[in-house]
Amino acid sequence: MIQRIVSSREGLLLAALLLVPACALADPVQDYATHCAACHGGDRLGGTGPALIPDTLGRVRGIDQVIAHGRSLTQMPGFQDQLSAQQIGDLVAFLKAPLAETPTWTTADIKASREMARDYTPAAAPVFEADPMNITLVVETGDHHVSVLDGDRLEVLDRFPTPYAVHGGPKFSPDGRFVFIMSRDGWVQKYDIWSLAEVGRVRAGLNSRNIAMSHDGKWLAVANYLPQTLTILSTDTLEPVKVIDVTARDGTPSRVSAVYQAPDRRSFILALKDAPEIWEIATDPDAGPFHDGYVHSYEKGATEAFGAQQGLFARRRIPTGEPLDDFFFDPGYRNLIGTNREGTKGVVINLTSGGKVAELPLPGMPHLGSGITWDRNGHKVMATPHLNEGVLSVIDMTDWTLVRQIPTHGPGFFLRSHETSPYVWADVFMSERKDEIHIIDKQTLEIVRTLIPAPGQTAAHTEFTRDGKYALVSIWEDDGALIIYDARTLEEVKRLPMRKPSGKYNVWNKITFSDGTSH
């Protein structure tokens, strides 16, 4: 036997190491693999969660606190009970370290990812007897499927697999036949509702936020966090027709928080995460010219300018005082309402002039993306939930004054209604009473009833059938259900078991831009 004689110095070091908690010696790479990779991707390029690389984290504050305590309104849990402060610090340093190679996703990559279904044959007419305008798609996040619901018979016609982690609302073609569905990892899927069949899919980015449809149904825009681009696809073939690098006037690259369709303006509207600008991208071949710089004319017909863009996909910059997120639009898309990053106020921007019209008192992080409008006392009003407060704010859209703040049983996430309904349906998704749905009278602005569809389980996201006869509510649990109510009597009609149903999208309500649904 060979015995090793340990020096007194080595012995002291060994003893000290034995006294150090095992967690303190953990490798941040291993910690990432254990706690983060399942949601954010083994390559840190995103999955159900966003990409965790310097390109997307550069302006994010308090990453250590997010890791420790989680992030409200998301699936991000806290890890303070599993990771020490030292481990969290090391993990933050690891996430801020650049990858060996900067990830890219080029037009060639997008084209190479395109997969069209070989067995797809378009039907000449719907293969079902249901009203194709009264179809509702139910996103089931529990096992990454979508159910196709007949809104008259309240029966599921088809259930098809989607890309992993669908994010943002599906978008329908203007005729309601096709629907496009996007996942957080950038895949866009095209599905033919008439044929009850997938048409194909393509990966438009590595980490994406949402999609928007052009006014004529020809183009689909994909907002990307990574790379920091807007990808525009042909809705017919799913081929990329343009990839736009998103860079502010001062040269700062920016993630795209969201892209919105503005059919009345024949354009897409972009929210920029990292720059004090709003972008408008034309879907009209005759658009523009839009000038980035100064314009000076000495005589009629003579223009001296620089940075001009015109025609299809021309970009127009609208400068803002600070980055704005989570947009809402008035009818006609004349004005945009956005919130600042801190979620302390709302700002109204006129999209024609680019000027600020008003500032709204909306603290508590208003969720404008779930806002809805209706007519009240001869005025058009909008309402929005607040993600950090148990209130709904109602705004008069004629003069942008606060009509009322309606107290609720906790912070909510979604509001929905229908032109035929006298009620607003509001959840309290982020509260201890998350199993409740408030029914609010549109005229009195009072809660007239509180439903508890499934005691102890999360109830959220109401959608209506085409005629407003039925209201559909999600029980947002893995062993959840779609609960169907008579929208007039508020009584339950039917319950369909589903795997963590989340958003629901009625064809007619979406393509007609119903007042009661988000756009």
Side-chain angles (χ1 to χ4, degrees), residues 401-461:
T401 57
L402 179 66
V403 176
R404 187 179 303 177
Q405 286 196 321
I406 305 171
T408 63
H409 290 170
F413 204 75
F414 300 105
L415 293 183
R416 288 294 184 269
S417 188
H418 191 272
E419 288 86 350
T420 64
S421 174
Y423 305 122
V424 173
W425 294 54
D427 62 51
V428 285
F429 193 79
M430 277 80 66
S431 75
E432 294 181 355
R433 302 171 73 166
K434 61 185 179 180
D435 56 0
E436 296 182 351
I437 297 286
H438 289 317
I439 309 299
I440 301 167
D441 187 289
K442 288 180 178 177
Q443 303 309 314
T444 67
L445 305 183
E446 300 290 339
I447 297 174
V448 297
R449 187 169 171 182
T450 296
L451 304 176
I452 303 180
Q457 296 187 305
T458 303
H461 196 283

Side-chain angles (χ1 to χ4, degrees), residues 81-99:
D81 294 335
Q82 302 173 58
L83 298 173
S84 68
Q86 180 64 49
Q87 283 178 287
I88 291 175
D90 290 346
L91 187 54
V92 171
F94 169 69
L95 298 180
K96 289 186 174 181
L99 298 176

Side-chain angles (χ1 to χ4, degrees), residues 5 30 99 111-112 144 151 156 159 179 202 212-213 215 240 247 258 277 301 323 353 367 381 450 455 465 490:
I5 300 176
Q30 181 58 51
L99 298 176
K111 289 181 177 179
H144 313 291
V156 174
R159 189 172 188 270
V179 66
V202 65
M213 175 73 63
H215 70 282
T247 305
E277 297 179 11
S353 68
H367 187 212
V381 299
T450 296
T465 52
L490 308 181

